[in-house]
């Protein structure tokens, strides 16, 4: 959805057209006097639609959402993902498209908090694989949208071609993911048998006897305070990188190139996701204890690219490509190392609650960046 943000805001089908063929873009009016090629609405609007429902879900999670069974949560996540593709694909207006983005946000937020909590039932190494998977998902989403649209497929048909992904999510959870070994198994044979059973044929884990569901408010507050050294740097990292992604990408436009403005935007998103995937998959090679260093570097990236938007001193788009790749590397490294450090430092009875609580960090940073990117867009796009 973020890769499609420029198209969602700038290209919409004529309201009277009921065919399944996209007749082409209808430009939304924008300020022609500006030195930037701006949409009338910033791509940060798509970011906010994509992140605010996730923020709400994650805020509610520590206060009872995590008590709901895992399987229904996964089912709702898959259905919302499919609904988002269909609604945006057949939308005739920006408002309806943003409604589809909201469905994608519900799917993403509910899915992330569900699976991160679920990692507490498995060996700690699964956090690395989870992080790699989320990085791969971002790269697959951005690369598939870029590749299919570059190949000539319309944005509508590109979105519809993604409908198999929610189905794979449900199949992988109910049929491929094995049930975790019991906490107090009767023997090695029982443990091995339980671990080989898919969740569809066994009882899905719902809660550990001494996990987050049984913690008092005082215990939850104590755990939350202990997480702040991890949460604050991750909030800053995601604030800086998504301010860049949804506030500045659209303004980093190089004219007189073979790539159109929309194509440049898609390349930015794809390269960012490539960096995220590489660093989220790097935990076995490189572990970072002090994630605040990554926050400082990402804030420097933001300041540097903001200066380039204002002064236009970078001569080539390929320099922007390198910076965006580096930006993705910092963001992915901050994510995977934060959750790895939390898994190492929290006790077994607190880990499920800690994972569910800490995942609000990236969402909070992204929400703040989207809120600030909107007025920045309006300010810059009204400059002559």
């Amino acid at each position: 959805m973020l890769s499609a943000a420029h198209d969602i805001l700038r290209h919409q089908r004529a309201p009277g057209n009921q065919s399944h063929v996209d007749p082409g873009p209808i430009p939304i009016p924008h300020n022609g006097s500006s030195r930037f090629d701006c949409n009338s609405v910033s791509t940060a609007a798509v970011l906010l639609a994509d992140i605010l429902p996730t923020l709400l879900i994650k805020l509610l999670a520590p206060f009872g959402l995590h008590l709901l069974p895992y399987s229904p949560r996964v089912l709702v996540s898959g259905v919302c993902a499919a609904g988002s593709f269909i609604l945006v694909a057949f939308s005739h207006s920006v408002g309806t498209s943003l409604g589809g983005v909201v469905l994608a946000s519900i799917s993403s937020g509910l899915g992330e908090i569900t699976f991160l909590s679920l990692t507490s039932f498995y060996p700690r190494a699964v956090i690395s694989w989870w992080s790699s998977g989320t990085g791969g998902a971002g790269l697959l989403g951005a690369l598939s949208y870029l590749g299919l649209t570059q190949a000539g497929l319309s944005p509508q048909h590109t979105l519809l071609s993604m409908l198999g992904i929610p189905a794979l999510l449900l199949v992988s959870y109910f049929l491929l993911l094995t049930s975790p070994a019991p906490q107090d198994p009767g023997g090695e044979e029982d443990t091995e048998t339980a671990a080989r059973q898919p969740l569809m044929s066994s009882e899905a884990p719902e809660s550990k006897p001494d996990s987050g569901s049984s913690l008092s408010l005082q215990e939850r507050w104590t755990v939350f305070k202990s997480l702040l050294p991890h949460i604050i740097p991750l909030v800053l990292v995601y604030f800086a990188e998504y301010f860049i992604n949804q506030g500045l990408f659209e303004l980093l436009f190089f004219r007189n190139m073979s790539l159109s403005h929309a194509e440049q935007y898609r390349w930015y998103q794809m390269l960012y996701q490539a960096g995220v995937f590489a660093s989220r998959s790097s935990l076995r090679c490189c572990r970072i204890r002090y994630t605040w260093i990554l926050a400082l570097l990402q804030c420097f990236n933001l300041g540097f690219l903001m200066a380039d938007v204002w002064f236009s001193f970078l001569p080539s788009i390929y320099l922007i490509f390198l910076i965006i790749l580096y930006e993705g590397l910092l963001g992915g490294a901050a994510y995977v190392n934060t959750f790895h450090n939390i898994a190492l430092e929290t006790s077994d009875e607190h880990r499920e609650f800690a994972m569910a609580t800490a995942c609000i960090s990236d969402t909070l940073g992204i929400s703040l960046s989207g809120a600030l990117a909107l007025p920045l867009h309006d300010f810059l796009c009204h400059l002559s």
Side-chain angles (χ1 to χ4, degrees):
M1 290 301 171
L2 295 182
S3 295
H6 193 273
D7 294 323
I8 287 174
L9 292 175
R10 196 160 199 166
H11 300 164
Q12 54 180 310
R13 297 204 308 276
N17 190 329
Q18 300 300 319
S19 73
H20 288 188
V21 179
D22 192 338
I26 299 175
I28 297 176
H30 59 283
N31 188 351
S33 63
S34 171
R35 65 188 177 94
F36 301 104
D37 183 31
C38 297
N39 281 321
S40 60
V41 180
S42 168
T43 52
V46 176
L47 177 65
L48 287 175
D50 190 57
I51 205 63
L52 289 180
T54 295
L55 177 63
L56 180 62
I57 289 172
K58 291 183 177 181
L59 286 174
L60 293 176
F63 301 100
L65 182 62
H66 66 289
L67 299 178
L68 297 176
Y70 282 96
S71 296
R73 284 193 264 168
V74 174
L75 186 61
V76 170
S77 179
V79 170
C80 286
S84 71
F85 289 131
I86 294 171
L87 192 56
V88 174
F90 291 103
S91 169
H92 295 290
S93 69
V94 171
T96 305
S97 294
L98 292 179
V101 176
V102 168
L103 284 180
S105 177
I106 294 172
S107 171
S108 175
L110 188 60
E112 182 180 17
I113 200 167
T114 296
F115 288 114
L116 268 175
S117 298
L118 195 59
T119 62
S120 64
F121 294 90
Y122 291 86
R124 292 175 187 173
V126 302
I127 295 174
S128 174
W129 298 109
W130 157 262
S131 298
S132 181
T134 57
L139 180 61
L140 176 64
L143 191 58
S144 60
Y145 190 81
L146 172 66
L148 292 173
T149 52
Q150 288 283 102
L153 213 59
S154 69
Q156 179 194 22
H157 291 118
T158 298
L159 288 167
L160 291 176
S161 70
M162 294 292 107
L163 282 173
I165 301 299
L168 286 175
L169 166 66
L170 299 179
V171 168
S172 66
Y173 176 78
F174 288 107
L175 300 181
L176 296 181
L177 183 64
T178 56
S179 179
Q183 295 297 306
D184 296 300
E188 292 184 9
E189 185 174 345
D190 292 340
T191 301
E192 186 176 348
T193 301
R196 286 179 177 174
Q197 292 178 342
L199 291 179
M200 180 65 82
S201 60
S202 62
E203 185 177 352
E206 302 305 344
S207 180
K208 294 181 181 178
D210 298 316
S211 66
S213 60
S214 60
L215 296 179
S216 67
L217 286 176
Q218 181 61 41
E219 287 177 304
R220 294 182 189 190
W221 176 244
T222 301
V223 173
F224 174 76
K225 287 192 295 184
S226 71
L227 294 175
L228 287 178
H230 302 291
I231 289 176
I232 293 174
L234 195 59
V235 169
L236 291 174
V237 166
Y238 272 82
F239 169 80
E241 71 185 67
Y242 274 86
F243 197 98
I244 294 170
N245 292 3
Q246 303 307 127
L248 303 185
F249 274 7
E250 185 185 6
L251 306 177
L252 293 167
F253 172 47
F254 285 79
R255 304 177 189 272
N256 303 318
M257 283 194 63
S258 60
L259 294 175
S260 68
H261 193 174
E263 289 169 339
Q264 290 179 37
Y265 182 87
R266 295 169 196 159
W267 272 103
Y268 291 158
Q269 290 287 352
M270 191 279 294
L271 288 168
Y272 162 75
Q273 295 292 355
V276 169
F277 173 59
S279 57
R280 287 195 181 188
S281 306
S282 67
L283 188 60
R284 291 182 178 271
C285 307
C286 177
R287 296 181 182 179
I288 301 172
R289 177 71 181 84
Y290 301 107
T291 54
W292 59 267
I293 297 174
L294 302 174
L296 291 177
L297 292 173
Q298 198 71 291
C299 289
F300 177 79
N301 273 350
L302 171 59
F304 184 81
L305 288 176
M306 179 80 78
D308 181 66
V309 167
W310 189 265
F311 297 108
S312 301
F313 56 83
L314 290 178
S316 171
I317 194 174
Y318 297 104
L319 293 175
I320 299 288
F321 284 171
L322 287 176
I323 294 171
I324 289 172
L325 185 64
Y326 170 61
E327 174 210 346
L329 289 171
L330 292 177
Y335 183 94
V336 66
N337 283 280
T338 294
F339 286 105
H340 176 71
N341 292 336
I342 290 172
L344 291 177
E345 296 175 14
T346 54
S347 60
D348 290 343
E349 62 268 24
H350 294 157
R351 189 167 297 122
E352 184 183 10
F353 174 77
M355 287 294 190
T357 302
C359 72
I360 196 176
S361 307
D362 56 343
T363 307
L364 181 59
I366 294 169
S367 301
L368 292 173
S369 70
L372 290 178
L374 282 172
L376 174 74
H377 173 276
D378 291 341
F379 170 73
L380 291 176
C381 289
H382 283 84
L383 291 176
S384 58

